[in-house]
Amino acid sequence: MKSEARVVVIGGGVVGASVLYHLTKAGWKDVLLIERGELTCGSTWHAAGGMHTINGDPNVAKLQQYTINLYQELERISGQSCGMHVTGGIMLAGTRERLDWLKMAKARGRYLGMELEVISVEEAAKLFPLMNQRHFVGALYDPIEGHVDPWGVTQAYAKAAQAAGAELVRHTRVLDLQARRDGSWDVITEGGNVHAEHVVNAAGLWAREVGRMVGLELPVLAMEHQYLITEDLPSLKGQKEQLHCIDFEGEIYTRQERGGMLLGTYERAGVPWSPVTTPWDFAQSLLPNDLERIAASLEVGFEHFPELGAVGIRKVVNGPFTFAPDGNPLVGPVRGLRNFWVACGVMAGFSQGGGVGLALSQWMVAGDPGADVWAMDVARYGDWATLAYTNAKVRENYSRRFRIRFPNEELPAARPLRTTPAYEPLKAAHAVFGDYCGLEHALWFAPTAAAAREDITFHRSNAHPHVAAECHAVREAVGLLEISNYGKFEVAGPGAAEWLSRIMANHLPPVGRIALTPMLNERGKLIGDFTICRLGADRLFLVCTWAAEIYYRRWFERHPPPDGVTIRPCAMEYVGLSLAGPRSRTVLQSLTRTDLSSGAFPFLSFRQMDLGMIRALVGRISFTGELGYEIWVTTDYQRALYELLSEAGRAHGLKLFGGRALNAMRIEKSFGSWAREYRPIYGPYEAGLGRFVDLNKGDFIGRAAALEEKESGGVVRLAAFSIDAGDADASGDEPIWHDGQVVGWVTSGAYGHRVQRSLALGYIPRALATATEGFEIEIVGERRKATRAAFASYDPDGARMRG
Ligand SMILES: Cc1cc2nc3c(=O)[nH]c(=O)nc-3n(C[C@H](O)[C@H](O)[C@H](O)COP(=O)(O)OP(=O)(O)OC[C@H]3O[C@@H](n4cnc5c(N)ncnc54)[C@H](O)[C@@H]3O)c2cc1C
């Protein structure tokens, strides 16, 4: 084994092998993969090898498409068969709701260029004669599903990488990792040490253990997973290979395996494997079968596919594979460590492995993953994703693998975990809570405790009239909202302002004022949107998206401030409440001696002030489009602040409102939100944020690309629509049609209660930027007429919030 390498990839499963291949493809040849056993000896070797394009996140779906289309190239380069069987697949719906879900999946697939087709039960039965029609109401057909040979695919990646110069060492365990001062690594192995500039943790079942070598507790957990292979089915003899089939109601997947059928299930009471430590002596091993555990699913399977029950079982496989809490991979550089990368938690290695390898290699070689990988970025999890949290969420995710996630559905596992002092009073006021980074936050308020639960649905839920009342109160009087679920940073020290000015695209506000600013990467794409509040010349308070806190910190580490400047994340140190509505000033003024008149404290002012006995940071800013204030206090004061504001507001008709109303109101104002309208695939001018980019202030990261985008006009445009909806509103990812063609996609949607219209925001081609007619938006399988709305449907000139 060589003693120096540019990159050491730890793990020779399908993911590590793909990373190795993609690194060579991206131009890095001095790369070494170290595997403790044989290639595939972790979870890869016993996989069923199934591949699918559908994923809840369209960007992950795109990478899945890439993976499946890669196999032919890989066979050609390596000369190794991947054992491809592209049979096509059908997904069977047993209920109307599932059929609606499939229609939505087809709709999403449209703008990703997928050829999905919703078909009748009769058509499905022609394609897949093993099914018993009476259990189903319809199906979705995907022509490019199938399966591969797990060993063949891994070998093909490895051979292709070796042909390009990569090296591969087997039967050598990595025992430890030691960081050098210059950011490089000593990789300590059973076969000697390797000094590497970069290390990639692709250790699959042992990713946690490799993470622990560098002090990380990665949120991954292995679950036991069983499938069986039947004896030969007489009806398959001499027939074309059967399609892949997913039976959602039966929670079963099945495909042909030689003359029989392979049938697997994600049981509801899944069992974690090695929940704390993965044994090192587990290699090329299986776990004891437990058919009893999947008996109920098998019973359904044999009813839905009777021929499978009529033959014997030839083989049962029970093997472990890993999941992150949300089921998507963990990929990317790890904050706090230099040159340490992960590619783990990949639960669908044969659909996702190629995309993961591609994104990671581009990230390492070019400094950017080249695609929007937020849904699988390791930075989406913070310290709150502990071992026990991960255990609860992974088990929940596993049990729901084939269940519908409704757009308004909140999942119950690992809750409540994080709460603020306002939680109990909000609960007493019948809040229905959602979970955000493990924190409970109010979504809406029910009239009674008994009514405080929401029906999960694709249509308008029982929350609709209550959210309407909350929006009405904010428009007519004053609303109170908890806003603790925002990210916050304090940036301070000599040179803090200069540093921030280089990081952010807008100029900084003067002392006592607020500025909104995008943060761009070198390619001029949006990687954040911040509210910068200036407390002093070199003292700044930043408010941003909490879920992206680690993502931002990683960026700040890459572009560090000068000595003496500190960046302190303080999301949970400053919790907050917001007042919004025409009477909010009156309520707040009754609590402070600071003059809040528009002249003295105009829109976008920020100041420390006392509210009653409470010292608070108060910003005059609005995400609702009404006159409003955001108030930040240290956690110990939040309860007192809540009571103070509630009491003062009583005479003015103050009403609590929640995240649902806020979302509807920000869409009425076309205010974008991170991970919806603002993502690293859009530029600021495309996203309608051009007015917050100051090209004249001097240099900043992304300036040259932003200038180019301004001059060229970019490719897409964020647009607002008003939809002739029925009883369902857009929620995100629906296709936008124009003159019979799919031209774009929805990023957010909601019913706008103040304007009394169903609304959506979404991206369309720049060429259609001025078109107003001919649009449709497909909601729950129906194309609905959509009219371009003024960019802000509500109070377009902003008089209400500025007044
Ligand atoms: C029963 C079953 C059925 C499945 N069916 C499918 C399917 O149909 N489709 C699909 O896409 N996926 C399926 N999967 C999941 C699939 O197996 C995984 O997504 C995939 O194998 C993950 O690959 P990996 O490379 O991340 O991990 P692994 O395969 O676990 O590879 C990690 C490798 O790292 C090595 N390693 C770890 N630590 C060290 C160290 N310290 N030093 C050196 N080497 C180390 C290990 O020996 C191992 O070879 C299935 C899994 C199971 C269990």
Side-chain angles (χ1 to χ4, degrees):
M1 186 170 65
K2 59 186 186 180
S3 58
E4 293 278 337
R6 187 161 201 182
V7 183
V8 165
V9 177
I10 304 172
V14 65
V15 174
S18 166
V19 170
L20 193 73
Y21 165 68
H22 281 93
L23 281 170
T24 60
K25 199 173 168 189
W28 282 11
K29 313 286 182 191
D30 180 18
V31 291
L32 170 69
L33 184 147
I34 304 180
E35 165 55 51
R36 59 188 265 278
E38 281 298 337
L39 292 185
T40 76
C41 75
S43 55
T44 297
W45 71 280
H46 49 59
M51 48 186 193
H52 319 270
T53 45
I54 287 188
N55 185 285
D57 183 279
N59 297 291
V60 178
K62 256 190 229 169
L63 289 172
Q64 295 189 181
Q65 253 179 317
Y66 165 81
T67 304
I68 294 170
N69 292 330
L70 179 70
Y71 292 130
Q72 274 178 351
E73 169 189 320
L74 213 51
E75 287 190 335
R76 208 180 50 247
I77 299 172
S78 65
Q80 164 72 49
S81 165
C82 293
M84 275 197 292
H85 294 247
V86 185
T87 55
I90 52 168
M91 284 154 254
L92 297 172
T95 62
R96 281 275 135 213
E97 269 164 341
R98 175 58 72 178
L99 194 58
D100 282 347
W101 185 86
L102 290 176
K103 286 179 187 166
M104 289 163 80
K106 172 194 153 88
R108 279 171 195 177
R110 276 190 223 276
Y111 65 79
L112 298 173
M114 294 180 189
E115 305 271 311
L116 306 172
E117 211 183 319
V118 174
I119 56 177
S120 67
V121 184
E122 293 72 28
E123 287 168 310
K126 273 193 207 136
L127 290 169
F128 192 70
L130 295 173
M131 64 186 261
N132 182 343
Q133 288 187 44
R134 87 186 159 83
H135 298 290
F136 302 104
V137 298
L140 185 70
Y141 173 65
D142 179 354
I144 65 160
E145 281 198 16
H147 61 275
V148 283
D149 164 23
W151 186 87
V153 167
T154 312
Q155 289 294 332
Y157 279 127
K159 284 185 181 171
Q162 281 171 307
E167 283 188 38
L168 213 144
V169 178
R170 297 176 171 82
H171 301 290
T172 306
R173 173 145 77 96
V174 172
L175 302 170
D176 200 5
L177 294 165
Q178 290 170 2
R180 289 197 187 180
R181 281 191 160 194
D182 65 357
S184 63
W185 292 91
D186 285 313
V187 181
I188 318 295
T189 85
E190 289 171 333
N193 299 353
V194 188
H195 176 227
E197 193 180 325
H198 298 267
V199 167
V200 178
N201 175 359
L205 288 176
W206 295 267
R208 260 181 335 194
E209 281 65 25
V210 171
R212 286 172 190 157
M213 292 176 193
V214 297
L216 275 181
E217 191 59 54
L218 287 166
V220 282
L221 175 72
M223 297 292 291
E224 292 191 15
H225 182 70
Q226 300 189 78
Y227 64 77
L228 57 83
I229 297 170
T230 69
E231 301 281 3
D232 289 359
L233 267 63
S235 68
L236 299 186
K237 206 162 179 192
Q239 298 296 312
K240 205 169 117 225
E241 187 172 8
Q242 288 293 303
L243 264 61
H244 269 237
C245 173
I246 292 178
D247 166 11
F248 287 103
E249 271 57 53
E251 304 192 319
I252 293 164
Y253 63 90
T254 182
R255 68 161 169 87
Q256 190 165 342
E257 175 69 26
R258 298 171 196 265
M261 292 296 287
L262 180 154
L263 186 149
T265 177
Y266 287 79
E267 67 272 28
R268 298 242 166 139
V271 176
W273 179 69
S274 294
V276 180
T277 312
T278 310
W280 287 109
D281 60 1
F282 187 85
Q284 210 97 27
S285 320
L286 288 175
L287 303 170
N289 302 331
D290 185 359
L291 279 184
E292 203 44 45
R293 208 166 70 218
I294 60 169
S297 301
L298 292 183
E299 223 168 274
V300 178
F302 296 154
E303 215 180 292
H304 290 187
F305 311 101
E307 267 190 76
L308 272 61
V311 291
I313 295 173
R314 181 188 295 151
K315 184 176 167 191
V316 182
V317 170
N318 183 10
F321 64 121
T322 54
F323 295 78
D326 61 5
N328 276 336
L330 296 175
V331 179
V334 175
R335 187 203 74 75
L337 295 170
R338 280 166 72 191
N339 300 336
F340 187 84
W341 307 77
V342 294
C344 56
V346 182
M347 61 80 54
F350 302 96
S351 307
Q352 299 173 336
V356 166
L358 176 73
L360 191 75
S361 61
Q362 295 196 357
W363 219 333
M364 293 175 74
V365 173
D368 187 285
D372 183 349
V373 296
W374 168 248
M376 57 183 198
D377 192 329
V378 61
R380 72 191 185 279
Y381 287 107
D383 295 348
W384 40 274
T386 57
L387 197 69
Y389 172 91
T390 302
N391 190 301
K393 287 312 260 187
V394 168
R395 278 188 289 130
E396 176 181 67
N397 186 276
Y398 185 90
S399 72
R400 296 180 48 90
R401 174 92 178 108
F402 286 145
R403 302 217 343 239
I404 297 173
R405 173 90 191 250
F406 290 90
N408 68 336
E409 186 170 8
E410 293 288 328
L411 303 181
R415 296 179 59 193
L417 178 61
R418 306 173 84 174
T419 55
T420 62
Y423 174 71
E424 287 300 337
L426 293 176
K427 195 171 159 195
H430 319 308
V432 175
F433 288 96
D435 158 35
Y436 183 72
C437 303
L439 179 78
E440 297 296 316
H441 67 110
L443 295 173
W444 58 279
F445 292 84
T448 63
R453 64 182 55 238
E454 185 164 356
D455 307 334
I456 50 171
T457 171
F458 293 123
H459 302 265
R460 289 182 193 141
S461 78
N462 57 321
H464 192 76
H466 306 297
V467 173
E470 291 170 23
C471 294
H472 185 76
V474 172
R475 175 190 158 134
E476 300 302 327
V478 54
L480 179 63
L481 169 81
E482 188 187 14
I483 50 168
S484 300
N485 57 346
Y486 292 3
K488 279 140 255 156
F489 289 95
E490 267 181 357
V491 182
E498 287 74 19
W499 174 73
L500 258 188
S501 183
R502 187 168 154 64
I503 296 287
M504 303 292 173
N506 203 355
H507 53 259
L508 299 190
V511 174
R513 301 285 294 161
I514 295 174
L516 306 177
T517 177
M519 183 164 78
L520 308 180
N521 61 17
E522 288 90 351
R523 297 188 304 131
K525 300 294 181 197
L526 288 171
I527 55 166
D529 64 315
F530 285 76
T531 303
I532 300 187
C533 314
R534 194 155 188 179
L535 279 160
D538 273 325
R539 239 189 104 205
L540 299 112
F541 184 69
L542 273 50
V543 182
C544 55
T545 304
W546 192 25
E549 182 185 294
I550 306 284
Y551 177 88
Y552 297 147
R553 288 172 71 186
R554 191 175 62 193
W555 185 256
F556 298 156
E557 273 171 12
R558 211 167 119 186
H559 302 280
D563 285 349
V565 173
T566 55
I567 309 167
R568 208 171 63 83
C570 51
M572 279 296 105
E573 276 170 53
Y574 287 102
V575 290
L577 291 165
S578 171
L579 281 177
R583 293 192 212 154
S584 56
R585 182 187 288 125
T586 313
V587 173
L588 202 62
Q589 187 66 80
S590 71
L591 302 172
T592 184
R593 287 186 301 131
T594 305
D595 180 1
L596 297 180
S597 65
S598 222
F601 199 66
F603 185 55
L604 298 182
S605 295
F606 188 77
R607 201 165 302 163
Q608 181 176 292
M609 61 181 79
D610 288 351
L611 303 173
M613 288 184 280
I614 303 161
R615 183 139 300 172
L617 294 173
V618 179
R620 201 186 135 190
I621 188 159
S622 166
F623 204 42
T624 61
E626 304 290 350
L627 172 70
Y629 302 86
E630 289 182 355
I631 307 164
W632 305 105
V633 289
T634 52
T635 313
D636 43 348
Y637 287 105
Q638 195 203 25
R639 180 76 184 249
L641 178 68
Y642 175 84
E643 277 157 19
L644 188 72
L645 294 173
S646 304
E647 183 55 36
R650 189 161 300 142
H652 301 280
L654 181 138
K655 188 170 170 61
L656 290 166
F657 71 107
R660 289 274 155 71
L662 183 69
N663 189 47
M665 290 189 275
R666 68 117 188 142
I667 293 173
E668 287 174 317
K669 288 294 294 175
S670 293
F671 291 154
S673 170
W674 173 252
R676 305 290 341 167
E677 287 70 35
Y678 308 147
R679 297 187 72 124
I681 41 176
Y682 310 124
Y685 296 93
E686 293 178 329
L689 292 176
R691 66 190 186 284
F692 300 117
V693 176
D694 184 354
L695 293 168
N696 300 319
K697 71 168 181 167
D699 202 19
F700 58 89
I701 299 170
R703 184 181 176 280
L707 178 63
E708 204 177 297
E709 186 200 325
K710 187 179 184 194
E711 282 167 1
S712 71
V715 179
V716 289
R717 274 290 172 280
L718 185 63
F721 294 92
S722 154
I723 309 167
D724 285 357
D727 71 339
D729 303 301
S731 58
D733 295 331
E734 292 85 358
I736 302 174
W737 295 73
H738 185 257
D739 287 348
Q741 303 283 326
V742 173
V743 294
W745 54 93
V746 169
T747 48
S748 301
Y751 187 80
H753 292 280
R754 291 178 300 187
V755 297
Q756 302 199 347
R757 287 200 299 272
S758 185
L759 301 173
L761 299 175
Y763 282 91
I764 54 172
R766 181 166 60 91
L768 291 174
T770 53
T772 51
E773 295 299 323
F775 289 99
E776 289 170 306
I777 291 181
E778 190 169 339
I779 301 179
V780 199
E782 277 184 55
R783 277 157 65 175
R784 296 276 177 174
K785 183 168 182 253
T787 311
R788 284 287 296 281
F791 197 64
S793 305
Y794 181 71
D795 187 27
D797 54 10
R800 292 179 71 95
M801 68 181 186
R802 288 197 169 82

